[in-house]
Amino acid sequence: MLIDTYGRVATDLRVSLTDRCNLRCTYCMPEEGLQWLAKPDLLTDDEIVRLIRIAVTDLGVTEVRFTGGEPLLRPGLVGIVERCAALEPRPRMSLTTNGIGLKRTAAALKAAGLDRVNVSLDTLRPEVFKTLTRRDRHHDVLDGMAAARDAGLTPVKVNAVLMPGLNDDEAPDLLAWAIEHAYELRFIEQMPLDAQHGWKREGMITAGDILESLRTRFTLTPEGAEERGSAPAERWVVDGGPHTVGVIASVTRPFCRACDRTRLTADGQVRTCLFATEETDLRAALRSGVPDEELAAIWKRAMWGKKAGSGLDDPSFLQPDRPMSAIGG
């Protein structure tokens, strides 16, 4: 069991498969991209599956989320999913993606055992998408989402970040569109995880701003803490149901007390929190030939030292050196 000194138990594992991405979102990385991890630094497919097996069979993990960078860029993704689906007990498996490669991979991922996907889409306007991502791929994302839905990778959840002066007026339109297409929409406050460290608390679009905008068109009823559990999104029932909308307010309404996540980077580092400034190296131990029991013990010690909160509400908060693309969302 992955337990910390505050009594929280980590059952949800986020696994970054690569730090590479085929978009250049303004809130994530600079236009020219980043210095990618060298291939020898990345965990191999076998190493990833081994660590997931240890997490699931020895440490109590029940959910695995594959992330990046962009996980669809990982050549061995389908095989990794298939091997993890064969584990006993079988974990629930999902994928967070920008959606560009989903049209060609959704059916194979479903057949391999993936349960569902989260797709990032911040705007319904192709020209705004191009400005935000520095790529003209809006139609590919929409096609990918439809392919995922048709393949049964449901519910398809949509993650949207609102940026001042770009798409901050789109919340009601995004929700209406998501309802029309049977997607579940989640707004995410912009977090201080950009490579260029350009994030500023002042002027960011907050959960309060988002809800105020949505209420100009919809009636929102809080779903309640019991329904939320350890989920990062607060959810509201839209116009009496059955549809819901969520807001992940990592900055203004932290949910650290209920956190049940542990994170593994593409180069084999355990992170106890997205905003942690330290990591624990599993890759070195794994490649030195230690048995599963020792790898599990290292992981347990790392999680035992998890801090009470992210520190975002502290004026002395320091942004992590590694950006979202390296950490995994």
Side-chain angles (χ1 to χ4, degrees), residues 50-174:
R50 181 183 176 190
L51 291 177
I52 293 174
R53 175 177 55 78
I54 291 170
V56 169
T57 61
D58 299 338
L59 297 173
V61 164
T62 58
E63 296 193 32
V64 177
R65 172 84 62 86
F66 297 107
T67 70
E70 173 45 52
L72 294 180
L73 296 179
R74 178 89 187 200
L77 172 61
V78 172
I80 291 171
V81 171
E82 187 171 32
R83 292 166 68 183
C84 290
L87 295 174
E88 292 289 344
R90 183 195 185 283
R92 292 185 295 274
M93 292 184 294
S94 57
L95 177 86
T96 295
T97 171
N98 62 30
I100 288 176
L102 266 180
K103 185 176 180 179
R104 60 177 175 77
T105 57
L109 287 168
K110 179 64 177 180
L114 192 70
D115 294 304
R116 63 170 192 82
V117 295
N118 281 32
V119 182
S120 298
L121 181 68
D122 304 320
T123 178
L124 299 176
R125 306 167 185 162
E127 69 278 7
V128 176
F129 182 92
K130 188 174 181 180
T131 298
L132 278 168
T133 67
R134 305 184 178 103
R135 297 290 186 272
D136 189 13
R137 305 296 298 273
H138 190 255
H139 63 288
D140 292 316
V141 179
L142 297 182
D143 289 347
M145 294 171 69
R149 182 191 57 209
D150 294 346
L153 292 171
T154 54
V156 174
K157 295 186 178 181
V158 181
N159 296 336
V161 176
L162 299 183
M163 300 291 289
L166 287 174
N167 62 339
D168 52 349
D169 61 336
E170 285 198 66
D173 290 339
L174 281 163

Side-chain angles (χ1 to χ4, degrees), residues 156-269:
V156 174
K157 295 186 178 181
V158 181
N159 296 336
V161 176
L162 299 183
M163 300 291 289
L166 287 174
N167 62 339
D168 52 349
D169 61 336
E170 285 198 66
D173 290 339
L174 281 163
L175 179 53
W177 172 83
I179 290 172
E180 178 186 354
H181 291 85
Y183 301 138
E184 292 190 16
L185 181 61
R186 301 290 183 269
F187 291 100
I188 304 176
E189 288 182 336
Q190 183 196 2
M191 294 181 285
L193 292 169
D194 57 309
Q196 56 271 40
H197 286 208
W199 178 86
K200 289 182 175 60
R201 192 182 304 269
E202 303 78 19
M204 65 170 285
I205 308 301
T206 68
D209 297 329
I210 294 165
L211 293 170
E212 182 180 358
S213 178
L214 291 174
R215 286 184 172 122
T216 63
R217 196 182 306 178
F218 302 96
T219 299
L220 304 181
T221 306
E223 194 173 55
E226 289 186 6
E227 291 288 339
R228 181 182 184 183
S230 60
E234 292 182 78
R235 296 203 307 179
W236 283 261
V237 178
V238 180
D239 291 342
H243 302 288
T244 63
V245 64
V247 179
I248 300 176
S250 302
V251 178
T252 62
R253 303 180 188 179
F255 41 88
C256 302
R257 283 186 294 178
C259 181
D260 65 350
R261 281 163 285 289
T262 183
R263 300 174 183 277
L264 186 65
T265 67
D267 54 350
Q269 310 299 306

Side-chain angles (χ1 to χ4, degrees), residues 16-21 42 67-74 266 325-326:
S16 174
L17 298 179
T18 178
D19 61 328
R20 296 172 183 263
C21 189
L42 295 171
T67 70
E70 173 45 52
L72 294 180
L73 296 179
R74 178 89 187 200
S325 61

